[in-house]
Amino acid sequence: MGMKKKPATIKEIARRLKISPSTVSRALNDHPSIGLVTTMRVKKMAEELNYEPNQTAIFFKQRRTFTIGVILPSLSEPFFSSAISEIEKVASEHDYTVLMGQSHDDAERELKILQTFKKHRVDGILISLGKNTEDLGFVEMLNDAEIPIVFFDCVPRIDDVNKVYSDLSTGMREAIQSFASIGHKNIALINGPENLLASQERAAAYRKALNSENLEYNERYEVHTDLTEQGNIEAIDKLLALSERPSAIVSFNDFVTLDVIKYVRQKGLVQKKDVFFISYANYPLWKYMENPPMGSIEQYPDQQARKAAEILFKHIGADDDEQQPETVVFESKLVLK
Amino acid sequence: MGMKKKPATIKEIARRLKISPSTVSRALNDHPSIGLVTTMRVKKMAEELNYEPNQTAIFFKQRRTFTIGVILPSLSEPFFSSAISEIEKVASEHDYTVLMGQSHDDAERELKILQTFKKHRVDGILISLGKNTEDLGFVEMLNDAEIPIVFFDCVPRIDDVNKVYSDLSTGMREAIQSFASIGHKNIALINGPENLLASQERAAAYRKALNSENLEYNERYEVHTDLTEQGNIEAIDKLLALSERPSAIVSFNDFVTLDVIKYVRQKGLVQKKDVFFISYANYPLWKYMENPPMGSIEQYPDQQARKAAEILFKHIGADDDEQQPETVVFESKLVLK
DNA sequence: TTGTACGCGTTATCAC
DNA sequence: GTGATAACGCGTACAA
């Protein structure tokens, strides 16, 4: 207790065995040129002294840390927590460790974490951008430092980077088709904040899907929420107030739908009768609900995350950095409940 | 593009300025003995060359990595994801970075991660043990390496370690009281696997609480589930089959309750009339449910995690390791819905 | 005020 | 087969 056992070093082993440190190093690494007896002696002594290589020294010398950095807006959201879980799995399969940070959608914080990671000399970075990130200057910074980076989920619009994300339009298309096929004509969208890329994509997908079904786009059917409970309720209220009330609603995500469902229930409307819901999925537990919405559009965060991590490791492995940037798009899919 | 800008070093700056590296080092660290002009010149050059200290070298030299390691059974479970989220916050407040690993309740994997963290020379470790961890030999290993460790949530029974966990009995007591106060006499417990410490604690708390309320303990009211959906249903089925069916049930956790509620609903039983539920909380969304259970016993993972992290940093900060091990117990609390 | 010299632990290179 | 040496980048006693 309290006794300070200084960790044994190669030098110490060498000293005790009266041989040179380099021999010890080679013996420990099973270098072929070292005699069997010496190798054994060294290993035995290493064992005795409880020798453990000092990784920080090795990192320093080898210029590799066997560490990747992962930046996500949040770790407590189900979408990201399953992503990080999968990323950690892939990393551990590659004998890598994960350094992680949360941006909390704050661009400044995001940048700070990136710099920290760079200082820590991570071998690669995975990032899902925060909602407000505008300045992508760090990409060049990391390029210069030769740290490969893969964007995932919330990716930048620029081209020459690795990115993995899901195409929101396929799921939207299925949702609208699904609604149309059971006779809905008045299909609304409760979208998120207008400045969000995620919202813009949903809006575009919505209009396109309506068009494909030969349904008319009605701008009053497209409302926005700031994603607070209050905002969600205001949004649905706008729709309910319309003279020709929509009978089917796609919403920004499952959390919005949860609030909305609760609210319309209070208003006496019956789900899947008076009004039908589909939303982008970020929450997995509909199966327990007495009266779940019609469906959710899945984005498979774990698959996305795995793919992103695999791409990253492909780039980390390659000595040459002249690889083409890679873009992988997953289709979002409607899953009926 | 593709141009390999080697990161500038102190030496490089020194060479260009025709001064010695040590002067540069001191100037960059605002050492008082360096002249203002020199300092300025150095900083300017550093700026120009885009100098960035090589942290791996500094880690190596200073024997500190400004990194803590966090090991959790899983990152995708809500309980742990809010914990890790909070830990990351605390770490970043201390300008620390978080290295993380998932044990997936596999003791071998857990140990491997611990060793990796040790190799990485993390400055401290936070861990919530996996369900099957028996061998605590690593505690001594980390003590020898002088790496402070704080256990959290799932903690070992040994004494001389730092630990933060919640006392399951307080919430159980409130739950049973709550049930008793509205007239329930037949209160059952759907517990988890018997070998789990978490189950044993619930069982003990359950019996003690019954006793406090002068209710008789009936062993047939204590059933077990392996926490699969199938197991959960079998457990409730056993209770429903009893001649004197329990009217109130405490269950291992919210997920069990979700399955059970769904099942009894199918059986035609009405919640909060035919049968009442309370469970240990690991899931936050009851508020959206049409017909939620009576309540949940909260364990506040974020508060626990924060406290654990703070204790860790207290120990990291202290040069001396002769600090007393600290134990903090949070009360679990019944929250009625 | 600045420079010299050394050490942190490891490994690659060259020499014997 | 093994040893000496240098080098990775930085910080810091000690000397000047």
Side-chain angles (χ1 to χ4, degrees):
Chain A
M1 279 288 287
M3 254 188 37
K4 185 164 185 170
K5 280 194 210 170
K6 267 197 199 134
T9 70
I10 283 191
K11 280 185 187 168
E12 174 68 9
I13 297 176
R15 200 180 57 74
R16 300 217 186 190
L17 258 35
K18 299 193 197 306
I19 56 181
S20 92
S22 39
T23 305
V24 175
S25 170
R26 283 181 283 227
L28 290 172
N29 292 316
D30 288 311
H31 196 285
S33 76
I34 299 297
L36 191 57
V37 270
T38 315
T39 304
M40 296 301 276
R41 287 200 332 136
V42 167
K43 289 203 171 176
K44 186 154 167 259
M45 181 59 79
E47 179 82 7
E48 269 175 41
L49 297 184
N50 227 310
Y51 169 77
E52 194 160 3
N54 182 337
Q55 281 296 129
T56 62
I58 296 176
F59 294 160
F60 171 43
K61 191 158 192 13
Q62 318 229 305
R63 293 126 170 291
R64 279 186 88 177
T65 56
F66 300 96
T67 301
I68 60 169
V70 178
I71 304 178
L72 298 175
S74 156
L75 288 166
S76 51
E77 279 176 42
F79 185 93
F80 293 121
S81 71
S82 45
I84 185 74
S85 173
E86 196 68 20
I87 290 168
E88 196 273 343
K89 272 188 215 163
V90 178
S92 80
E93 289 164 12
H94 288 256
D95 284 317
Y96 261 69
T97 312
V98 175
L99 213 47
M100 45 129 274
Q102 298 179 94
S103 67
H104 298 293
D105 289 318
D106 173 352
E108 206 174 323
R109 215 178 128 44
E110 193 169 75
L111 186 60
K112 199 181 156 201
I113 298 172
L114 280 162
Q115 282 160 342
T116 306
F117 284 180
K118 187 184 164 203
K119 282 203 287 192
H120 276 250
R121 295 288 201 266
V122 296
D123 294 340
I125 288 177
L126 275 175
I127 180 172
S128 177
L129 292 175
K131 292 193 175 75
N132 314 307
T133 306
E134 305 276 349
D135 181 10
L136 294 171
F138 65 85
V139 174
E140 203 188 347
M141 169 181 100
L142 294 174
N143 272 341
D144 289 349
E146 296 191 319
I147 300 175
I149 179 167
V150 179
F151 292 91
F152 129 84
D153 182 48
C154 190
V155 305
R157 294 167 213 233
I158 54 180
D159 274 334
D160 49 348
V161 294
N162 298 297
K163 45 186 168 181
V164 176
Y165 60 97
S166 70
D167 176 3
L168 302 182
S169 71
T170 53
M172 178 69 85
R173 179 74 197 280
E174 291 179 297
I176 303 285
Q177 266 177 348
S178 231
F179 281 148
S181 72
I182 52 174
H184 292 282
K185 302 224 175 307
N186 302 325
I187 305 172
L189 171 67
I190 301 182
N191 209 347
E194 296 194 60
N195 62 325
L196 247 57
L197 181 55
S199 298
Q200 290 156 21
E201 287 176 358
R202 282 162 171 78
Y206 167 68
R207 294 173 202 194
K208 199 170 144 212
L210 285 181
N211 193 44
S212 301
E213 296 298 320
N214 293 316
L215 292 170
E216 198 179 342
Y217 169 71
N218 179 341
E219 66 175 3
R220 278 176 314 190
Y221 283 173
E222 191 179 338
V223 296
H224 292 270
T225 167
D226 58 5
L227 304 177
T228 63
E229 182 175 356
Q230 180 66 20
N232 297 339
I233 290 174
E234 283 169 17
I236 182 68
D237 250 345
K238 271 190 208 150
L239 294 176
L240 296 180
L242 294 176
S243 54
E244 199 165 9
R245 204 165 71 189
S247 61
I249 296 172
V250 179
S251 72
F252 186 78
N253 69 28
D254 288 344
F255 286 104
V256 174
T257 298
L258 279 168
D259 279 331
V260 168
I261 283 181
K262 186 176 175 188
Y263 184 74
V264 300
R265 194 165 61 220
Q266 288 163 0
K267 289 278 179 186
L269 294 182
V270 177
Q271 235 210 108
K272 294 200 235 177
K273 182 160 157 270
D274 302 320
V275 57
F276 289 64
F277 292 101
I278 288 176
S279 44
Y280 283 91
N282 45 3
Y283 200 68
L285 296 198
W286 294 121
K287 73 164 179 164
Y288 295 112
M289 278 190 66
E290 210 157 334
N291 213 343
M294 182 163 146
S296 282
I297 303 169
E298 290 288 344
Q299 295 178 71
Y300 306 102
D302 49 346
Q303 291 177 30
Q304 271 190 61
R306 171 165 288 271
K307 187 67 192 174
E310 280 165 357
I311 291 176
L312 182 62
F313 281 110
K314 207 160 67 187
H315 284 256
I316 289 178
D319 283 343
D320 188 357
D321 58 340
E322 283 306 344
Q323 298 204 23
Q324 288 306 311
E326 204 166 334
T327 293
V328 175
V329 181
F330 280 78
E331 289 197 347
S332 56
K333 287 211 185 90
L334 175 64
V335 178
L336 295 175
K337 305 298 170 184
Chain B
M1 281 285 285
M3 252 189 36
K4 185 166 183 166
K5 278 193 208 166
K6 268 199 198 128
T9 70
I10 283 191
K11 278 185 191 166
E12 175 67 9
I13 297 176
R15 202 180 55 73
R16 300 218 186 189
L17 257 36
K18 298 193 199 306
I19 57 180
S20 93
S22 48
T23 305
V24 175
S25 169
R26 285 181 281 230
L28 289 172
N29 293 317
D30 288 312
H31 195 286
S33 75
I34 300 296
L36 191 58
V37 269
T38 315
T39 303
M40 296 301 277
R41 288 204 327 140
V42 167
K43 290 204 171 177
K44 186 155 166 258
M45 180 60 77
E47 178 83 6
E48 270 174 41
L49 296 185
N50 227 308
Y51 168 77
E52 193 160 2
N54 182 338
Q55 280 296 128
T56 63
I58 296 175
F59 293 160
F60 171 44
K61 190 162 203 344
Q62 317 230 305
R63 293 130 169 287
R64 278 187 86 177
T65 55
F66 299 96
T67 301
I68 60 169
V70 178
I71 303 180
L72 299 176
S74 156
L75 289 165
S76 51
E77 278 175 43
F79 185 92
F80 294 121
S81 72
S82 45
I84 185 75
S85 173
E86 195 67 20
I87 291 168
E88 196 273 343
K89 270 188 217 163
V90 178
S92 81
E93 287 164 14
H94 289 257
D95 284 318
Y96 261 69
T97 312
V98 175
L99 212 47
M100 45 130 272
Q102 298 178 94
S103 67
H104 298 293
D105 288 317
D106 172 353
E108 207 175 323
R109 214 176 129 45
E110 194 170 75
L111 185 59
K112 199 179 155 203
I113 297 171
L114 279 162
Q115 282 161 341
T116 307
F117 283 0
K118 187 183 165 203
K119 282 203 286 194
H120 276 252
R121 295 288 201 266
V122 296
D123 295 340
I125 288 178
L126 275 176
I127 181 170
S128 177
L129 293 176
K131 292 193 175 77
N132 313 307
T133 305
E134 306 277 349
D135 181 11
L136 294 172
F138 65 85
V139 173
E140 201 189 347
M141 169 181 102
L142 294 174
N143 272 342
D144 289 349
E146 297 191 319
I147 301 175
I149 180 166
V150 179
F151 292 91
F152 128 86
D153 182 48
C154 190
V155 306
R157 295 168 212 231
I158 54 180
D159 273 336
D160 51 346
V161 295
N162 298 297
K163 45 188 168 180
V164 177
Y165 61 96
S166 69
D167 175 4
L168 302 183
S169 71
T170 53
M172 178 68 86
R173 179 75 196 277
E174 291 179 299
I176 303 285
Q177 268 177 346
S178 231
F179 280 149
S181 73
I182 54 175
H184 293 281
K185 302 223 175 305
N186 302 324
I187 304 172
L189 171 67
I190 300 183
N191 209 347
E194 294 194 61
N195 63 325
L196 246 59
L197 181 56
S199 299
Q200 291 156 21
E201 288 176 356
R202 281 162 172 79
Y206 168 67
R207 293 172 203 195
K208 198 171 145 212
L210 285 181
N211 193 45
S212 301
E213 295 298 319
N214 293 316
L215 292 171
E216 196 180 342
Y217 168 71
N218 178 341
E219 66 176 1
R220 279 176 313 192
Y221 282 173
E222 191 178 337
V223 296
H224 292 270
T225 167
D226 58 5
L227 303 176
T228 62
E229 184 175 352
Q230 179 66 22
N232 297 340
I233 289 174
E234 283 169 15
I236 181 71
D237 250 346
K238 271 189 210 151
L239 295 176
L240 296 182
L242 293 176
S243 54
E244 199 165 9
R245 204 163 73 188
S247 61
I249 297 173
V250 179
S251 71
F252 186 79
N253 69 28
D254 287 345
F255 286 104
V256 173
T257 297
L258 278 167
D259 279 331
V260 168
I261 285 182
K262 187 176 174 186
Y263 183 75
V264 301
R265 194 165 61 221
Q266 286 163 3
K267 289 276 178 187
L269 295 182
V270 177
Q271 235 211 107
K272 293 199 237 181
K273 183 162 155 270
D274 302 320
V275 57
F276 289 65
F277 291 102
I278 288 176
S279 44
Y280 283 92
N282 45 1
Y283 198 68
L285 296 197
W286 295 120
K287 71 165 180 165
Y288 294 112
M289 278 190 68
E290 209 157 333
N291 212 344
M294 183 162 145
S296 282
I297 303 169
E298 290 287 345
Q299 295 179 70
Y300 308 102
D302 49 346
Q303 289 178 30
Q304 271 190 60
R306 170 166 290 271
K307 187 66 192 175
E310 279 166 358
I311 291 176
L312 182 62
F313 281 110
K314 207 161 66 187
H315 283 256
I316 290 177
D319 283 342
D320 189 357
D321 56 342
E322 284 306 345
Q323 298 205 23
Q324 287 307 310
E326 203 165 334
T327 294
V328 176
V329 182
F330 280 79
E331 289 197 348
S332 56
K333 287 212 185 90
L334 175 64
V335 178
L336 296 174
K337 306 295 171 185

